Amino acid sequence: MPLILAAVRAGGALAPGSLPPGLLAEADATARIAGRSLVECDCPWPTPSSSGGRPGPLGRALVLGWSQAPVPEELGTYPVARLTPTQMITFALCLARAWPDLNWPPYPGRPFARADILDAAGDIGLDVKFAKAALDGELQLLLLIVREGQRLRLGPAVSALPATFAETMRRFHGQLPGTGQAPPMQKDDDE
């Protein structure tokens, strides 16, 4: 089990059909002991983590998500990646642009243009070159955002965040930089 979970964490994702269902269930049970879980979502293949930064086309994948409680930082049992302030603000700009309707879950959100994020970064006084570095580097490597053709969208790591993250963001959504710049999301006709 530890090797399966290590592979998911190191590669960013695991193909859902790559292991027998019983083994996946055991891996998920083991992950839950550590405050994590296996979550199925859309993910680029190969992931930026496993391909040196070049994500491929989207496909179904299993990513390592967070259990509802306790918060990973409170556990203190293993290190948690931390974003710099510029990376956090850049991600907040992405989140505000991709998630304009609070009635919907944040993931997958709406696709958005890289240029819109950089314009918003400049508008709030963020150094645009550092925002570019965050968009093209760490945020993609951590699968918080992914490229979808010429646009960006929230990545599978957002789907793996606990429900408490979405609830907190709903309360503070109006304070996200760039909120209100994206058109509202609409249901697809086939839903």
Side-chain angles (χ1 to χ4, degrees):
M1 285 327 111
L3 289 177
I4 294 170
L5 297 175
V8 174
R9 188 167 187 213
L14 181 70
S18 61
L19 296 171
L23 197 54
L24 285 176
E26 287 181 46
D28 186 50
T30 302
R32 287 180 188 280
I33 293 169
R36 305 297 297 264
S37 64
L38 291 174
V39 178
E40 188 171 346
C41 64
D42 290 327
C43 185
W45 288 104
T47 66
S49 301
S50 64
S51 66
R54 293 193 198 121
L58 294 178
R60 295 307 283 173
L62 292 168
V63 297
L64 207 50
W66 299 104
S67 299
Q68 297 303 317
V71 177
E73 290 87 350
E74 292 174 2
L75 284 173
T77 55
Y78 49 88
V80 175
R82 301 216 186 264
L83 298 176
T84 66
T86 300
Q87 293 166 341
M88 282 190 282
I89 293 169
T90 304
F91 177 63
L93 290 168
C94 296
L95 189 61
R97 191 76 177 159
W99 186 36
D101 188 336
L102 299 182
N103 296 315
W104 290 72
Y107 182 82
R110 299 178 65 87
F112 52 92
R114 181 178 180 267
D116 291 342
I117 301 301
L118 296 176
D119 288 345
D123 290 346
I124 64 170
L126 192 63
D127 189 324
V128 175
K129 71 180 176 192
F130 290 120
K132 283 181 187 177
L135 288 173
D136 297 337
E138 199 69 15
L139 295 180
Q140 286 192 54
L141 289 173
L142 292 173
L143 298 174
L144 289 169
I145 62 170
V146 294
R147 288 202 180 278
E148 188 175 73
Q150 296 298 314
R151 299 178 66 79
L152 298 171
R153 71 176 188 89
L154 298 177
V158 175
S159 75
L161 293 169
T164 53
F165 171 82
E167 289 309 312
T168 301
M169 288 295 97
R170 279 186 177 90
R171 285 193 303 252
F172 297 103
H173 191 270
Q175 296 175 21
L176 288 172
T179 300
Q181 295 179 355
M185 294 162 50
Q186 297 177 9
K187 284 189 173 184
D188 293 334
D189 292 333
D190 57 279
E191 287 186 29

